[in-house]
Amino acid sequence: MAISCGIVGLPNVGKSTLFNALSSAGAAVANYPFCTIEPNVGVVPVPDARLDALVALYHPKSVVAATVNFVDIAGLVRGASKGEGLGNQFLANIRETDAIAHVVRCFEDDNVIHVEGRVDPVADVGTIDTELCLKDLETVDKRIERAKKALKGTASKEEKQILEICERLKAGLDAGKPARAQGLGAEETALLRDQGLLTLKKVFYVANVAEKQLAAADSDKYVRALRAHAEAEGAPVVVICAAAEAEIAGLDATDRPAFLDSLGLKEPGLHAVARTAYKILDLITFLTAGEDECRAWTVKRGAKAPQAAGVIHTDFERGFIKAEVIWWEDLVKLGSEAACRANAKLNLEGKDYVVRDGDVIHFKFNV
């Protein structure tokens, strides 16, 4: 299940530096707007201690982690919704992603230009939100006109629902309120899926700080302001120093622990970025394990066993018979599938079984 997260923000806030650290893809980094013209895409593994434990148990020939595709999108500027900068192209790139990682500058540095001439995280968020709301407003206006024309004829009941939702959305977008903050239900969201609304996407914020700010990030005035804003809309905030993360990513594995310790970090901040992207999309992981391969698979929370089987192969879902399920901790503790079976820790589950985050599953199927 491929998922993508767009990295957005104003120019020179550290988006490409973060992307380089995440993916080691070598995106260009420079101190001027629009350094990143075409969106760069990096496939980033989601750190998972459960998978690591299974690898230590089985010593498999192959290890495959769950992944998130991060898309580095060039900096948006005021007026992007009207095509300013390279607005139309960038907004189209955002439209194609599942979620948004909004990188916000929370550091002062006279050597790094700020496109607005000041450091103000909440104002920066407002600039991006305004441009995305304005673009969505165009989309909603067009859909309202289409619905009104359809209702003059023999339009469906669904068309009337869409008109009502869009008129409500328009009022909120006019007031600068993103679609995701307007209390839409699951059914209403489903009706709008084809519209590709930018502000309906899940968002989390990445507070990019200077290295000297890491130790006291919780009390930093810029981080606190961003967190207060994010909390009001129910969005997570991850604090990182993108420059330090890029340095960590370039070190040998043996040198990383000492450098992390010098920064007061238990793990790279990038791990939290990848996990947060995964979490806000309400995704969970089930695992398969053996001597040939240990692998983490991604499904939506609430997926049933046949759907999970289909992530591995469509034939598994089509010919699903049953699932042999072991909780990962039981497998690690007891040391083998046979031991789990002998200790009644292996369960046979049918089509209605809801997969848990951390299940180790072996599917039985017939086609």
Side-chain angles (χ1 to χ4, degrees):
M1 181 180 179
I3 59 170
S4 63
C5 183
I7 302 176
V8 305
L10 294 175
N12 299 334
V13 298
K15 299 180 312 303
S16 294
T17 303
L18 171 64
F19 177 81
N20 286 350
L22 276 166
S23 65
S24 301
V29 179
N31 182 23
Y32 57 89
F34 314 124
C35 174
T36 308
I37 304 301
E38 295 296 331
N40 296 281
V41 180
V43 181
V44 180
V46 179
D48 194 328
R50 301 166 302 187
L51 180 62
D52 295 340
L54 293 175
V55 169
L57 177 64
Y58 283 97
H59 304 288
K61 298 172 186 174
S62 172
V63 180
V64 183
T67 59
V68 176
N69 292 346
F70 279 93
V71 184
D72 181 25
I73 299 170
L76 293 175
V77 294
R78 194 179 301 279
S81 61
K82 301 299 181 184
E84 291 295 326
L86 294 175
N88 291 331
Q89 180 182 341
F90 300 160
L91 291 165
N93 296 149
I94 296 171
R95 200 182 301 280
E96 294 169 4
T97 63
D98 299 307
I100 295 173
H102 187 162
V103 182
V104 185
R105 178 170 171 171
C106 292
F107 64 89
E108 296 178 354
D109 187 337
D110 293 337
N111 296 315
V112 180
I113 300 165
H114 190 293
V115 73
E116 297 280 2
R118 81 289 180 265
V119 178
D120 186 337
V122 176
D124 288 356
V125 170
T127 298
I128 299 294
D129 279 351
T130 296
E131 296 305 321
L132 298 184
C133 282
L134 287 171
K135 197 64 181 178
D136 277 354
L137 197 54
E138 290 181 17
T139 302
V140 167
D141 277 336
K142 290 176 183 176
R143 189 64 182 90
I144 287 173
E145 289 306 308
R146 199 162 91 234
K148 284 181 176 179
K149 287 179 182 178
L151 287 170
K152 290 178 181 178
T154 55
S156 65
K157 179 183 176 182
E158 185 177 280
E159 199 70 17
K160 185 178 180 181
Q161 287 179 286
I162 290 173
L163 176 59
E164 291 173 351
I165 297 166
C166 285
E167 287 180 333
R168 195 166 79 243
L169 273 179
K170 179 179 178 178
L173 291 167
D174 264 329
K177 193 174 186 180
R180 63 179 174 274
Q182 294 191 38
L184 294 175
E187 183 180 344
E188 292 175 317
T189 301
L191 287 172
L192 295 172
R193 187 168 289 123
D194 292 343
Q195 303 311 305
L197 296 177
L198 304 173
T199 65
L200 198 53
K201 295 181 183 295
K202 297 284 188 180
V203 172
F204 70 99
Y205 296 100
V206 180
N208 187 18
V209 302
E211 189 174 314
K212 63 184 179 182
Q213 292 170 268
L214 281 172
D218 288 343
S219 59
D220 183 85
K221 64 178 181 179
Y222 295 131
V223 174
R224 289 177 67 181
L226 179 60
R227 279 183 169 154
H229 176 85
E231 187 177 343
E233 63 175 70
V237 175
V238 179
V239 179
I240 63 144
C241 172
E245 295 294 333
E247 190 173 347
I248 293 167
L251 293 173
D252 290 334
T254 53
D255 295 329
R256 289 178 187 173
F259 187 61
L260 285 169
D261 189 57
S262 72
L263 296 174
L265 300 175
K266 293 181 180 179
E267 65 173 4
L270 300 182
H271 289 190
V273 173
R275 279 196 293 261
T276 302
Y278 198 78
K279 186 176 180 181
I280 66 167
L281 289 168
D282 208 19
L283 302 172
I284 64 169
T285 299
F286 74 90
L287 305 123
T288 53
E291 293 179 357
D292 287 334
E293 180 184 79
C294 286
R295 183 163 183 162
W297 302 87
T298 301
V299 291
K300 277 282 190 181
R301 188 175 301 279
K304 293 186 177 180
Q307 294 172 284
V311 172
I312 298 176
H313 198 286
T314 53
D315 284 349
F316 284 25
E317 182 173 9
R318 186 161 55 91
F320 178 87
I321 299 173
K322 61 183 177 181
E324 296 181 345
V325 182
I326 305 171
W327 182 240
W328 75 274
E329 286 180 309
D330 292 333
L331 181 54
V332 171
K333 181 180 178 180
L334 295 173
S336 70
E337 183 180 313
C340 288
R341 192 186 303 272
N343 286 274
K345 295 297 183 180
L346 185 153
N347 298 318
L348 296 180
E349 303 290 354
K351 293 182 178 181
D352 291 330
Y353 178 72
V354 177
V355 176
R356 298 173 298 174
D357 188 20
D359 277 342
V360 181
I361 308 179
H362 177 65
F363 295 102
K364 300 289 188 180
F365 72 101
N366 183 38
V367 291

Short mmCIF file of all heavy atoms in Angstrom, two decimals, residues 288-338:
data_model
loop_
_atom_site.label_atom_id
_atom_site.label_comp_id
_atom_site.label_asym_id
_atom_site.label_seq_id
_atom_site.Cartn_x
_atom_site.Cartn_y
_atom_site.Cartn_z
N THR A 288 4.72 -10.27 8.46
CA THR A 288 4.93 -11.66 8.08
C THR A 288 6.39 -11.98 8.43
O THR A 288 7.25 -11.11 8.30
CB THR A 288 4.66 -11.90 6.59
OG1 THR A 288 5.42 -10.97 5.79
CG2 THR A 288 3.17 -11.74 6.28
N ALA A 289 6.63 -13.20 8.88
CA ALA A 289 7.97 -13.50 9.39
C ALA A 289 8.38 -14.93 9.05
O ALA A 289 7.56 -15.86 9.09
CB ALA A 289 8.02 -13.29 10.90
N GLY A 290 9.63 -15.08 8.72
CA GLY A 290 10.18 -16.40 8.43
C GLY A 290 11.65 -16.27 8.08
O GLY A 290 12.21 -15.17 8.07
N GLU A 291 12.28 -17.38 7.77
CA GLU A 291 13.72 -17.36 7.47
C GLU A 291 14.02 -16.71 6.12
O GLU A 291 15.12 -16.19 5.92
CB GLU A 291 14.27 -18.79 7.50
CG GLU A 291 14.23 -19.41 8.89
CD GLU A 291 14.76 -20.84 8.91
OE1 GLU A 291 15.11 -21.35 7.82
OE2 GLU A 291 14.85 -21.42 10.00
N ASP A 292 13.05 -16.74 5.21
CA ASP A 292 13.27 -16.10 3.91
C ASP A 292 13.09 -14.59 3.99
O ASP A 292 13.87 -13.84 3.39
CB ASP A 292 12.32 -16.67 2.85
CG ASP A 292 12.70 -18.07 2.42
OD1 ASP A 292 13.89 -18.42 2.54
OD2 ASP A 292 11.81 -18.83 1.99
N GLU A 293 12.06 -14.17 4.72
CA GLU A 293 11.76 -12.73 4.75
C GLU A 293 10.98 -12.35 6.00
O GLU A 293 10.08 -13.08 6.43
CB GLU A 293 10.95 -12.34 3.51
CG GLU A 293 10.58 -10.87 3.44
CD GLU A 293 9.71 -10.53 2.25
OE1 GLU A 293 8.48 -10.80 2.31
OE2 GLU A 293 10.24 -10.01 1.25
N CYS A 294 11.34 -11.20 6.56
CA CYS A 294 10.51 -10.55 7.57
C CYS A 294 10.06 -9.22 6.96
O CYS A 294 10.88 -8.47 6.43
CB CYS A 294 11.30 -10.28 8.86
SG CYS A 294 11.62 -11.76 9.84
N ARG A 295 8.74 -8.99 7.03
CA ARG A 295 8.22 -7.84 6.30
C ARG A 295 7.08 -7.17 7.05
O ARG A 295 6.26 -7.83 7.69
CB ARG A 295 7.72 -8.28 4.93
CG ARG A 295 7.22 -7.16 4.05
CD ARG A 295 7.15 -7.61 2.61
NE ARG A 295 6.74 -6.53 1.72
CZ ARG A 295 6.92 -6.55 0.41
NH1 ARG A 295 7.50 -7.59 -0.17
NH2 ARG A 295 6.51 -5.54 -0.33
N ALA A 296 7.04 -5.84 6.97
CA ALA A 296 5.95 -5.05 7.54
C ALA A 296 5.03 -4.63 6.40
O ALA A 296 5.50 -4.14 5.37
CB ALA A 296 6.51 -3.82 8.26
N TRP A 297 3.73 -4.83 6.62
CA TRP A 297 2.73 -4.49 5.60
C TRP A 297 1.80 -3.42 6.14
O TRP A 297 1.48 -3.41 7.33
CB TRP A 297 1.92 -5.73 5.22
CG TRP A 297 2.73 -6.87 4.69
CD1 TRP A 297 3.33 -7.85 5.43
CD2 TRP A 297 3.03 -7.16 3.33
NE1 TRP A 297 3.98 -8.74 4.61
CE2 TRP A 297 3.81 -8.34 3.31
CE3 TRP A 297 2.69 -6.53 2.12
CZ2 TRP A 297 4.28 -8.90 2.12
CZ3 TRP A 297 3.16 -7.09 0.93
CH2 TRP A 297 3.94 -8.26 0.95
N THR A 298 1.35 -2.54 5.26
CA THR A 298 0.52 -1.40 5.67
C THR A 298 -0.94 -1.60 5.28
O THR A 298 -1.25 -1.92 4.13
CB THR A 298 1.03 -0.11 4.99
OG1 THR A 298 2.38 0.10 5.37
CG2 THR A 298 0.19 1.08 5.41
N VAL A 299 -1.84 -1.40 6.25
CA VAL A 299 -3.28 -1.41 5.98
C VAL A 299 -3.94 -0.28 6.78
O VAL A 299 -3.37 0.21 7.75
CB VAL A 299 -3.96 -2.75 6.36
CG1 VAL A 299 -3.53 -3.86 5.43
CG2 VAL A 299 -3.71 -3.11 7.82
N LYS A 300 -5.13 0.09 6.36
CA LYS A 300 -5.91 1.06 7.12
C LYS A 300 -6.39 0.43 8.42
O LYS A 300 -6.73 -0.75 8.46
CB LYS A 300 -7.12 1.53 6.30
CG LYS A 300 -6.81 2.63 5.31
CD LYS A 300 -6.72 3.98 6.02
CE LYS A 300 -6.65 5.13 5.03
NZ LYS A 300 -6.54 6.43 5.73
N ARG A 301 -6.43 1.20 9.48
CA ARG A 301 -6.98 0.72 10.74
C ARG A 301 -8.42 0.27 10.51
O ARG A 301 -9.20 0.94 9.84
CB ARG A 301 -6.95 1.83 11.79
CG ARG A 301 -7.32 1.38 13.19
CD ARG A 301 -7.15 2.52 14.19
NE ARG A 301 -5.80 3.02 14.22
CZ ARG A 301 -4.79 2.46 14.88
NH1 ARG A 301 -5.00 1.34 15.58
NH2 ARG A 301 -3.58 2.99 14.85
N GLY A 302 -8.77 -0.89 11.06
CA GLY A 302 -10.11 -1.43 10.86
C GLY A 302 -10.20 -2.43 9.73
O GLY A 302 -11.26 -3.03 9.51
N ALA A 303 -9.10 -2.65 8.99
CA ALA A 303 -9.10 -3.61 7.89
C ALA A 303 -9.33 -5.03 8.42
O ALA A 303 -8.83 -5.39 9.49
CB ALA A 303 -7.79 -3.55 7.13
N LYS A 304 -10.08 -5.81 7.68
CA LYS A 304 -10.31 -7.20 8.05
C LYS A 304 -9.29 -8.11 7.36
O LYS A 304 -8.60 -7.70 6.43
CB LYS A 304 -11.74 -7.60 7.70
CG LYS A 304 -12.77 -6.85 8.55
CD LYS A 304 -14.19 -7.34 8.30
CE LYS A 304 -15.18 -6.62 9.21
NZ LYS A 304 -16.58 -7.07 9.00
N ALA A 305 -9.23 -9.35 7.83
CA ALA A 305 -8.21 -10.27 7.37
C ALA A 305 -8.13 -10.41 5.84
O ALA A 305 -7.02 -10.37 5.28
CB ALA A 305 -8.40 -11.64 8.03
N PRO A 306 -9.25 -10.58 5.12
CA PRO A 306 -9.14 -10.70 3.66
C PRO A 306 -8.53 -9.45 3.00
O PRO A 306 -7.77 -9.57 2.04
CB PRO A 306 -10.59 -10.90 3.22
CG PRO A 306 -11.28 -11.48 4.41
CD PRO A 306 -10.64 -10.80 5.58
N GLN A 307 -8.86 -8.26 3.53
CA GLN A 307 -8.29 -7.03 2.97
C GLN A 307 -6.77 -7.00 3.19
O GLN A 307 -6.01 -6.59 2.31
CB GLN A 307 -8.92 -5.81 3.64
CG GLN A 307 -10.39 -5.62 3.34
CD GLN A 307 -10.99 -4.50 4.18
OE1 GLN A 307 -11.26 -4.65 5.37
NE2 GLN A 307 -11.20 -3.35 3.56
N ALA A 308 -6.35 -7.43 4.37
CA ALA A 308 -4.91 -7.48 4.65
C ALA A 308 -4.23 -8.48 3.73
O ALA A 308 -3.14 -8.21 3.21
CB ALA A 308 -4.69 -7.86 6.11
N ALA A 309 -4.88 -9.59 3.50
CA ALA A 309 -4.32 -10.60 2.59
C ALA A 309 -4.15 -10.02 1.19
O ALA A 309 -3.17 -10.28 0.49
CB ALA A 309 -5.22 -11.83 2.57
N GLY A 310 -5.13 -9.19 0.78
CA GLY A 310 -5.08 -8.58 -0.54
C GLY A 310 -3.94 -7.61 -0.72
O GLY A 310 -3.52 -7.34 -1.85
N VAL A 311 -3.42 -7.05 0.38
CA VAL A 311 -2.26 -6.16 0.29
C VAL A 311 -1.03 -6.95 -0.18
O VAL A 311 -0.19 -6.43 -0.92
CB VAL A 311 -1.99 -5.50 1.66
CG1 VAL A 311 -0.67 -4.74 1.64
CG2 VAL A 311 -3.13 -4.56 2.03
N ILE A 312 -0.95 -8.21 0.23
CA ILE A 312 0.17 -9.06 -0.19
C ILE A 312 -0.01 -9.48 -1.65
O ILE A 312 0.89 -9.38 -2.47
CB ILE A 312 0.27 -10.30 0.72
CG1 ILE A 312 0.56 -9.85 2.16
CG2 ILE A 312 1.36 -11.24 0.22
CD1 ILE A 312 0.60 -11.00 3.16
N HIS A 313 -1.23 -9.96 -1.98
CA HIS A 313 -1.54 -10.35 -3.36
C HIS A 313 -3.05 -10.43 -3.50
O HIS A 313 -3.73 -10.93 -2.61
CB HIS A 313 -0.89 -11.71 -3.69
CG HIS A 313 -0.79 -11.98 -5.16
ND1 HIS A 313 -1.89 -12.30 -5.92
CD2 HIS A 313 0.27 -11.96 -6.02
CE1 HIS A 313 -1.52 -12.47 -7.18
NE2 HIS A 313 -0.21 -12.27 -7.27
N THR A 314 -3.54 -9.97 -4.63
CA THR A 314 -5.00 -10.00 -4.83
C THR A 314 -5.56 -11.42 -4.78
O THR A 314 -6.70 -11.63 -4.35
CB THR A 314 -5.37 -9.36 -6.18
OG1 THR A 314 -4.61 -9.98 -7.23
CG2 THR A 314 -5.08 -7.86 -6.18
N ASP A 315 -4.77 -12.41 -5.19
CA ASP A 315 -5.23 -13.80 -5.11
C ASP A 315 -5.47 -14.24 -3.67
O ASP A 315 -6.35 -15.05 -3.40
CB ASP A 315 -4.21 -14.75 -5.75
CG ASP A 315 -4.25 -14.70 -7.28
OD1 ASP A 315 -5.21 -14.11 -7.81
OD2 ASP A 315 -3.34 -15.25 -7.92
N PHE A 316 -4.67 -13.69 -2.74
CA PHE A 316 -4.82 -14.04 -1.32
C PHE A 316 -6.19 -13.59 -0.81
O PHE A 316 -6.82 -14.29 -0.02
CB PHE A 316 -3.73 -13.37 -0.47
CG PHE A 316 -2.37 -14.02 -0.58
CD1 PHE A 316 -2.01 -14.76 -1.69
CD2 PHE A 316 -1.44 -13.89 0.44
CE1 PHE A 316 -0.76 -15.35 -1.78
CE2 PHE A 316 -0.19 -14.48 0.37
CZ PHE A 316 0.15 -15.21 -0.76
N GLU A 317 -6.64 -12.43 -1.27
CA GLU A 317 -7.95 -11.94 -0.84
C GLU A 317 -9.07 -12.70 -1.54
O GLU A 317 -10.06 -13.08 -0.92
CB GLU A 317 -8.08 -10.44 -1.15
CG GLU A 317 -9.40 -9.84 -0.70
CD GLU A 317 -9.46 -8.33 -0.85
OE1 GLU A 317 -8.53 -7.74 -1.47
OE2 GLU A 317 -10.42 -7.72 -0.35
N ARG A 318 -8.89 -12.92 -2.83
CA ARG A 318 -9.93 -13.60 -3.61
C ARG A 318 -10.16 -15.02 -3.11
O ARG A 318 -11.30 -15.49 -3.04
CB ARG A 318 -9.52 -13.60 -5.09
CG ARG A 318 -10.55 -14.13 -6.03
CD ARG A 318 -10.24 -13.68 -7.45
NE ARG A 318 -8.89 -14.03 -7.87
CZ ARG A 318 -8.59 -15.17 -8.50
NH1 ARG A 318 -9.53 -16.06 -8.76
NH2 ARG A 318 -7.35 -15.42 -8.86
N GLY A 319 -9.09 -15.71 -2.74
CA GLY A 319 -9.23 -17.11 -2.32
C GLY A 319 -9.04 -17.32 -0.83
O GLY A 319 -8.70 -18.41 -0.38
N PHE A 320 -9.25 -16.23 -0.05
CA PHE A 320 -9.01 -16.29 1.40
C PHE A 320 -9.78 -17.44 2.07
O PHE A 320 -10.98 -17.63 1.84
CB PHE A 320 -9.42 -14.96 2.04
CG PHE A 320 -9.26 -14.92 3.53
CD1 PHE A 320 -8.06 -14.55 4.10
CD2 PHE A 320 -10.31 -15.28 4.37
CE1 PHE A 320 -7.90 -14.52 5.48
CE2 PHE A 320 -10.16 -15.25 5.75
CZ PHE A 320 -8.94 -14.87 6.31
N ILE A 321 -9.07 -18.21 2.90
CA ILE A 321 -9.70 -19.28 3.68
C ILE A 321 -9.66 -18.92 5.16
O ILE A 321 -10.69 -18.88 5.84
CB ILE A 321 -8.99 -20.63 3.44
CG1 ILE A 321 -9.09 -21.04 1.97
CG2 ILE A 321 -9.58 -21.71 4.35
CD1 ILE A 321 -8.27 -22.26 1.62
N LYS A 322 -8.46 -18.65 5.67
CA LYS A 322 -8.30 -18.31 7.08
C LYS A 322 -6.95 -17.63 7.28
O LYS A 322 -6.08 -17.63 6.39
CB LYS A 322 -8.40 -19.55 7.96
CG LYS A 322 -7.33 -20.60 7.69
CD LYS A 322 -7.54 -21.83 8.54
CE LYS A 322 -6.50 -22.91 8.19
NZ LYS A 322 -6.68 -24.15 8.98
N ALA A 323 -6.78 -17.09 8.47
CA ALA A 323 -5.52 -16.45 8.83
C ALA A 323 -5.01 -17.04 10.13
O ALA A 323 -5.77 -17.18 11.09
CB ALA A 323 -5.71 -14.94 8.98
N GLU A 324 -3.74 -17.41 10.13
CA GLU A 324 -3.09 -17.85 11.38
C GLU A 324 -2.43 -16.62 11.99
O GLU A 324 -1.52 -16.03 11.39
CB GLU A 324 -2.06 -18.92 11.09
CG GLU A 324 -2.66 -20.21 10.53
CD GLU A 324 -1.63 -21.28 10.26
OE1 GLU A 324 -0.41 -20.96 10.23
OE2 GLU A 324 -2.03 -22.45 10.07
N VAL A 325 -2.88 -16.23 13.17
CA VAL A 325 -2.47 -14.96 13.76
C VAL A 325 -1.74 -15.17 15.08
O VAL A 325 -2.22 -15.88 15.98
CB VAL A 325 -3.69 -14.05 14.01
CG1 VAL A 325 -3.25 -12.70 14.59
CG2 VAL A 325 -4.46 -13.84 12.71
N ILE A 326 -0.58 -14.54 15.21
CA ILE A 326 0.20 -14.56 16.46
C ILE A 326 0.52 -13.11 16.82
O ILE A 326 0.91 -12.32 15.95
CB ILE A 326 1.53 -15.33 16.30
CG1 ILE A 326 1.29 -16.75 15.77
CG2 ILE A 326 2.31 -15.37 17.62
CD1 ILE A 326 2.57 -17.48 15.39
N TRP A 327 0.34 -12.76 18.08
CA TRP A 327 0.75 -11.43 18.53
C TRP A 327 2.27 -11.38 18.55
O TRP A 327 2.93 -12.31 19.02
CB TRP A 327 0.17 -11.14 19.90
CG TRP A 327 0.49 -9.78 20.45
CD1 TRP A 327 1.17 -9.49 21.58
CD2 TRP A 327 0.15 -8.53 19.85
NE1 TRP A 327 1.27 -8.14 21.74
CE2 TRP A 327 0.64 -7.51 20.68
CE3 TRP A 327 -0.53 -8.16 18.69
CZ2 TRP A 327 0.49 -6.16 20.41
CZ3 TRP A 327 -0.69 -6.80 18.41
CH2 TRP A 327 -0.18 -5.83 19.28
N TRP A 328 2.87 -10.32 18.02
CA TRP A 328 4.31 -10.26 17.80
C TRP A 328 5.12 -10.51 19.07
O TRP A 328 6.16 -11.18 19.03
CB TRP A 328 4.71 -8.92 17.16
CG TRP A 328 4.70 -7.75 18.10
CD1 TRP A 328 3.66 -6.96 18.43
CD2 TRP A 328 5.82 -7.25 18.85
NE1 TRP A 328 4.02 -6.00 19.33
CE2 TRP A 328 5.35 -6.14 19.60
CE3 TRP A 328 7.16 -7.62 18.95
CZ2 TRP A 328 6.19 -5.42 20.45
CZ3 TRP A 328 8.00 -6.89 19.79
CH2 TRP A 328 7.51 -5.80 20.53
N GLU A 329 4.64 -9.98 20.20
CA GLU A 329 5.38 -10.17 21.46
C GLU A 329 5.40 -11.64 21.87
O GLU A 329 6.41 -12.13 22.42
CB GLU A 329 4.76 -9.33 22.57
CG GLU A 329 5.06 -7.84 22.44
CD GLU A 329 4.42 -7.04 23.56
OE1 GLU A 329 3.20 -7.19 23.79
OE2 GLU A 329 5.14 -6.25 24.20
N ASP A 330 4.30 -12.34 21.64
CA ASP A 330 4.25 -13.77 21.96
C ASP A 330 5.25 -14.53 21.10
O ASP A 330 5.94 -15.44 21.60
CB ASP A 330 2.84 -14.33 21.73
CG ASP A 330 1.83 -13.79 22.72
OD1 ASP A 330 2.25 -13.43 23.85
OD2 ASP A 330 0.63 -13.71 22.38
N LEU A 331 5.35 -14.19 19.82
CA LEU A 331 6.28 -14.88 18.93
C LEU A 331 7.72 -14.64 19.36
O LEU A 331 8.53 -15.57 19.42
CB LEU A 331 6.05 -14.41 17.50
CG LEU A 331 6.93 -15.04 16.42
CD1 LEU A 331 6.87 -16.56 16.45
CD2 LEU A 331 6.53 -14.53 15.04
N VAL A 332 8.04 -13.40 19.70
CA VAL A 332 9.40 -13.08 20.12
C VAL A 332 9.73 -13.77 21.45
O VAL A 332 10.82 -14.32 21.63
CB VAL A 332 9.57 -11.55 20.24
CG1 VAL A 332 10.92 -11.20 20.89
CG2 VAL A 332 9.46 -10.89 18.88
N LYS A 333 8.78 -13.76 22.37
CA LYS A 333 9.00 -14.36 23.68
C LYS A 333 9.16 -15.87 23.61
O LYS A 333 10.07 -16.46 24.24
CB LYS A 333 7.85 -14.01 24.61
CG LYS A 333 7.98 -14.56 26.02
CD LYS A 333 6.78 -14.16 26.88
CE LYS A 333 6.87 -14.76 28.28
NZ LYS A 333 5.70 -14.37 29.11
N LEU A 334 8.29 -16.53 22.84
CA LEU A 334 8.31 -17.99 22.77
C LEU A 334 9.30 -18.52 21.74
O LEU A 334 9.71 -19.68 21.82
CB LEU A 334 6.90 -18.52 22.48
CG LEU A 334 5.88 -18.26 23.59
CD1 LEU A 334 4.47 -18.64 23.14
CD2 LEU A 334 6.25 -19.02 24.87
N GLY A 335 9.66 -17.71 20.77
CA GLY A 335 10.78 -18.05 19.90
C GLY A 335 10.45 -18.77 18.61
O GLY A 335 11.33 -18.91 17.76
N SER A 336 9.22 -19.25 18.42
CA SER A 336 8.90 -19.94 17.18
C SER A 336 7.38 -20.06 17.01
O SER A 336 6.63 -19.98 18.00
CB SER A 336 9.52 -21.33 17.12
OG SER A 336 8.86 -22.20 18.04
N GLU A 337 6.96 -20.29 15.77
CA GLU A 337 5.55 -20.51 15.50
C GLU A 337 5.07 -21.78 16.19
O GLU A 337 3.95 -21.83 16.73
CB GLU A 337 5.33 -20.60 13.99
CG GLU A 337 3.89 -20.76 13.57
CD GLU A 337 3.73 -20.85 12.06
OE1 GLU A 337 4.34 -20.01 11.36
OE2 GLU A 337 3.01 -21.75 11.59
N ALA A 338 5.91 -22.80 16.18
CA ALA A 338 5.55 -24.08 16.81
C ALA A 338 5.31 -23.91 18.30
O ALA A 338 4.35 -24.46 18.87
CB ALA A 338 6.65 -25.11 16.56
#
